Amino acid sequence: MASRRLPSDVRIVNVAGEALPAVLVEETFARADGLQAMFNLYGPSEDTTYSTFTPVEPGAPPLIGKAVSNSRVFILDACGMPAPQGVPGEIFIAGAGLARGYWDRPELTAERFVPDSLSREPGARMYRTGDLGRWTASGDIEYLGRLDHQVKIRGHRIELGEIEACSSGTNRSRRPSSSRARRPRVTSGSPPMSSSRRRVAATIQCRSCART
């Protein structure tokens, strides 16, 4: 992107796979003479790739927007209750695009695909993304990072714990290949969560559960 311009007939650019930095938005518009719109797409493969979208513009912090048609997105606290506007919480996704689960991984499926307590439909489920977000005043979602140490490299999930297990030479080193082979790739950006965000997550849990 830094060394060449986009073709003059490009009118719309969709970006996904990792967290969208503001500088990339600015560079894209600066190198595309005919560009009319740029969209940020967010969502894991567990929800058929894209779950939210929003147009982005230079000079504004990139958000991940609102849910696409036939999808529902929630931001819940540690007790499973909807987080108020501006309060960080975990992003959950439900709707028609939700996968059945992980192939031959019933334990992981049960951990990530949980009952949808906010739906009246019997057997409804939602997927817990492990992503941290919050609602803005406009009704869009701001992506804040991960609740764990997962990172993304060129759109692929990288579990730092698995790398540590391999380097330590323990029996756990056999787990990463099985996990990656059976776990779908995702398109959402996943930078490691900073210590300040971990403290925020801990504060959410303490305060929200105290209310109940």
Side-chain angles (χ1 to χ4, degrees), residues 161-162 164-166 168-176:
E162 295 179 345
E164 181 180 2
C166 286
S168 65
T170 65
N171 291 333
R172 290 178 297 171
S173 63
R174 296 182 178 180
R175 295 177 58 187

Side-chain angles (χ1 to χ4, degrees), residues 6-73:
L6 290 175
S8 59
D9 57 349
V10 172
R11 297 291 182 264
I12 297 176
V13 171
N14 295 331
V15 292
E18 299 184 13
L20 177 62
V23 64
L24 180 58
V25 178
E26 296 174 0
E27 291 178 353
T28 301
F29 276 93
R31 291 172 169 79
D33 296 330
L35 189 61
Q36 297 177 354
M38 183 175 180
F39 290 89
N40 188 21
L41 309 177
Y42 162 87
S45 294
E46 288 87 346
D47 191 48
T48 318
T49 308
Y50 301 131
S51 309
T52 71
F53 79 104
T54 186
V56 292
E57 298 179 355
L63 303 175
I64 62 175
K66 302 178 177 67
V68 300
S69 299
N70 297 319
S71 289
R72 295 178 295 134
V73 179

Side-chain angles (χ1 to χ4, degrees), residues 144-210:
L144 300 175
R146 290 288 302 176
L147 287 165
D148 54 24
H149 296 286
Q150 184 187 99
V151 298
K152 295 294 292 299
I153 298 179
R154 296 182 179 179
H156 295 275
R157 294 177 179 178
I158 304 297
E159 300 287 352
L160 298 183
E162 295 179 345
I163 297 176
E164 181 180 2
C166 286
S167 61
S168 65
T170 65
N171 291 333
R172 290 178 297 171
S173 63
R174 296 182 178 180
R175 295 177 58 187
S177 59
S178 173
S179 176
R180 285 194 295 268
R182 298 178 181 178
R183 186 179 298 175
R185 298 176 180 176
V186 294
T187 56
S188 58
S190 307
M193 186 173 66
S194 65
S195 59
S196 61
R197 286 173 181 161
R198 286 195 293 271
R199 288 195 294 271
V200 168
T203 302
I204 294 171
Q205 182 174 5
C206 293
R207 291 181 177 177
S208 60
C209 291

